Amino acid sequence: MAACSVEALLAKAEQEEAEKLKSISVQKELDLEFDIGNLLACDKNRIDLREFREQKKEDFLRSLARDNTQLLINEIWKQPTERVQEAIVVKLPDPATPLPREKPPPKAKPPTKWEQFAKLKGIQKKKKTNLVWDETAKEWKRRWGYKRAKDDTKEWLIEVPETADPNEDQFAKRVKAKTERVAKNEYNRLKNIARAQKGKVPVMGLATSTQQSKEELSLAVSVAKTSTASAGRFQDRLPKEKAPKNMGKKRKFEPLIGDFSNERHKQLELLKLMDGKKPKLDITKAVNKQMREEDREEAAAKYKKRAGKKGRKGGNMSGKGKGKGGKGGKGKGGKAGGGGGGGGGKRRGKPGKH
Amino acid sequence: MKNYFKYRKPKTKRSKRFLESRAPKLIEDVKTAMIMKGGNTSQTVTQALKDIVSSNITRPFEDSTSLEFFSKKTDSSLFLFGSHNKKRDHMPNDVCVTVSFVLFAGRLFDFHVLDMIELGIEKYVSLSDVKASKCPEGTKPMLVFAGEAFDTDNEHKRLKSLLLDFFRGPTVSAVRLAGLEHVLHFTALDGKIYMRSYRSLLKKSGCRTPRIELEEIGPSCDLVLRRTHLASDDLYKLAHRQPKALKAKKKKNISHDAFGTKFGRVHMQKQDLSKLRTRKMKGLRKRKGNVVAEEQDGQAPKVAKEAEHTE
């Protein structure tokens, strides 16, 4: 009797299990494809059109949806679960369906000039604090930026170093140095970007890519020619190009003991000049030159005055523009000053001889 | 100098963060969609738009100026454009006007249109029409696609991929079991695509996996696939290119054979073959006595050396 009941019990248990499983099992011809990462299920089974039209559409679709969802849920429940703050959570695998990206993947940036150098030397990046303790202000200030700790342009007292010109404006000097540093930094940053994009990086003196004058073009050509391994000595010339003037050597010295006849000739010429009654100094020429020089100086002074006034009234010019203008102006001024000074020196030297 | 402005450095941290969020990334964020209304949208279409993508709306636009411009402005890569067409069929003695509601769904790659599909709306039941308790917004829906067409027909395949993109929501690593409520079911049948939205109720089934009962909620529509503007194969492939950094790194020196056995490789240093003994020969075995003698010998010369040194 016991054996009978045991068997009966087992059979009953089996039946119950089967019933339970029945409730969640779904019969399908083809298995569904699942992408659990996206909570996606694809049913490729043929849908019987006749069945669809016989039944009410909504009911048919609903039963189909129920079956498919059941299969999807069965699949999801197979994944590992864990408990996170009173909720049971199932861990999803990565999505399997390939979907197109929004934007193309980012391109690796080539290292900048500094990064290349640091890599070569083995220099590590040191993490610095954002704030620095400023003794004079007795508070924490930024290391760089607005109201930073050691801002030398903001000092109210600057000792004039012994080697410096007493009339020089030390404050302006510091501000100018700062603007020059900013301009240089900007220039280097743009050069890095140009290098990263494999753009053409122009040489310092030939930055313009717009209309260039004849002189600039010829300068560019000569620079390009000279930047070869043999410094341009074996470069072919264009059909109408003129032979370059001697751009290297500024002065030519005769050898000490060389051409005796030439040396003798020169010495005799010199003696003749020294003996001659004709004065070396041509007074009219000298006077004209002096007058021209004075006119030029006056014009330069007027221009400077006008430019100075404009600058104060005009207000904000961009920093880069100012830097460039300052550099260009200084260069021009330097050249003119040098030319004038050289000429004056020469002139003054000559009367000194006599 | 025109291009100089393209390379300005961001001056504030906020602008820097903004630019970084818009820049191409290794692992991308969730796609956002733009919802747009054409010139003649009717209420049905507007309702359809609002219902379908209520959780992804960025901003509805009124006019249909350049799609790509808007995509750049809002940094969205999916769009849904609704309008309604009046087609005049000139039959011999009759002029009938068929009005159809049209939805353009599409996506962009790098701010250029990748795919665009025109769907005609035949029947539409909006959220408000269905009287049932709704799922909370923002739940990641379960998606089911039924019908052979989604696997065989090229256009349907693209549509499936597009719908997946639209509705899948953010990629998460784990999901709360009780929160798997929303089900979106798409059936491709008889030339039409039936979209139904259900709420799943997890009932006890006796075993761990629950039994599903569905309750219809939400908008449902019958769509007809009309014109398509699909990307060429190579553009599609280009859009799928994943950066190398995301590829799973293969562990070296580990291989699996057909049966699933895991094999490893060990690289040995060079062995001194002169000391190799291939056979056991009792006589060559190192004995304890010999070992001690060797040690003593080893020590003795050391001691001698030290003695020499001190002397």
Side-chain angles (χ1 to χ4, degrees), chain B residues 115-169:
Chain B
D115 290 333
M116 190 156 74
I117 299 182
E118 181 184 340
L119 298 161
I121 305 178
E122 298 223 323
K123 192 185 88 158
Y124 183 75
V125 177
S126 87
L127 259 181
S128 41
D129 292 342
V130 177
K131 309 262 185 274
S133 56
K134 312 289 194 293
C135 291
E137 246 185 62
T139 46
K140 193 169 158 87
M142 292 185 278
L143 300 161
V144 186
F145 289 86
E148 289 176 311
F150 280 127
D151 203 39
T152 48
D153 183 26
N154 216 17
E155 297 195 337
H156 280 83
K157 270 199 250 182
R158 285 289 177 95
L159 178 65
K160 176 173 152 197
S161 162
L162 183 63
L163 290 168
L164 183 61
D165 235 345
F166 250 105
F167 292 110
R168 73 170 168 154

Side-chain angles (χ1 to χ4, degrees), chain B residues 166-180:
Chain B
F166 250 105
F167 292 110
R168 73 170 168 154
T171 310
V172 283
S173 57
V175 161
R176 211 169 62 104
L177 284 180
L180 290 167

Side-chain angles (χ1 to χ4, degrees), chain B residues 9 12 23 69 87 102 105 112 145 171 173 184 218-219 234 250 274 282 293 310-311:
Chain B
K9 259 197 310 194
T12 57
F69 171 74
K87 239 199 278 187
V102 180
H112 298 298
F145 289 86
T171 310
S173 57
L184 278 168
D234 33 319
K250 191 177 166 233
S274 61
K282 241 183 167 181
T310 48
E311 277 177 318

Side-chain angles (χ1 to χ4, degrees), chain B residues 4 11 26 32 43 47 52-53 57 86 91-92 97 141-142 154 164 167 181 197 206 232 254 261 269 282 291 300 311:
Chain B
Y4 172 65
K11 295 273 181 194
L26 268 185
T32 44
Q43 222 198 0
Q47 191 69 359
I52 285 176
V53 272
I57 284 187
K86 275 196 185 145
M91 310 257 295
V97 176
M142 292 185 278
N154 216 17
L164 183 61
F167 292 110
E181 288 181 318
S197 189
S232 60
I254 294 178
T261 327
Q269 285 178 338
K282 241 183 167 181
V291 173
E311 277 177 318

Side-chain angles (χ1 to χ4, degrees), chain B residues 157-305:
Chain B
K157 270 199 250 182
R158 285 289 177 95
L159 178 65
K160 176 173 152 197
S161 162
L162 183 63
L163 290 168
L164 183 61
D165 235 345
F166 250 105
F167 292 110
R168 73 170 168 154
T171 310
V172 283
S173 57
V175 161
R176 211 169 62 104
L177 284 180
L180 290 167
E181 288 181 318
H182 196 163
V183 182
L184 278 168
H185 193 266
F186 298 89
T187 321
L189 191 59
D190 209 7
K192 288 194 216 171
I193 298 165
Y194 300 94
M195 180 187 122
R196 298 286 180 272
S197 189
Y198 302 102
R199 184 182 171 168
S200 69
L201 305 158
L202 309 165
K203 295 260 158 81
K204 276 198 186 166
S205 73
C207 47
R208 201 169 146 251
T209 319
R211 183 180 161 81
I212 297 288
E213 292 297 332
L214 295 181
E215 195 188 310
E216 182 153 1
I217 58 151
S220 68
C221 44
D222 297 350
L223 304 164
V224 176
L225 193 67
R226 297 220 183 119
R227 295 173 288 173
T228 58
H229 173 84
L230 303 176
S232 60
D233 278 335
D234 33 319
L235 182 60
Y236 200 63
K237 258 193 205 167
L238 187 69
H240 281 268
R241 250 203 224 156
Q242 300 294 339
K244 269 193 194 163
L246 287 181
K247 251 199 268 176
K249 292 244 166 96
K250 191 177 166 233
K251 262 194 160 170
K252 285 170 99 176
N253 298 323
I254 294 178
S255 59
H256 297 262
D257 75 350
F259 296 105
T261 327
K262 199 172 180 182
F263 287 96
R265 239 186 187 191
V266 179
H267 297 266
M268 293 290 299
Q269 285 178 338
K270 198 163 184 184
Q271 283 181 292
D272 187 2
L273 294 170
S274 61
K275 295 245 173 89
L276 194 69
R277 299 234 186 97
T278 48
R279 284 192 216 158
K280 278 188 197 176
M281 288 183 189
K282 241 183 167 181
L284 297 170
R285 216 193 288 172
K286 279 194 186 169
R287 288 209 190 101
K288 270 196 182 169
N290 278 357
V291 173
V292 171
E294 280 174 20
E295 278 184 10
Q296 279 186 346
D297 287 335
Q299 279 177 9
K302 272 193 198 167
V303 171
K305 275 190 190 162

Side-chain angles (χ1 to χ4, degrees), chain A residues 29 43 92 104 173 220 325:
Chain A
E29 277 178 17
D43 179 12
L92 298 174
K173 187 174 162 193

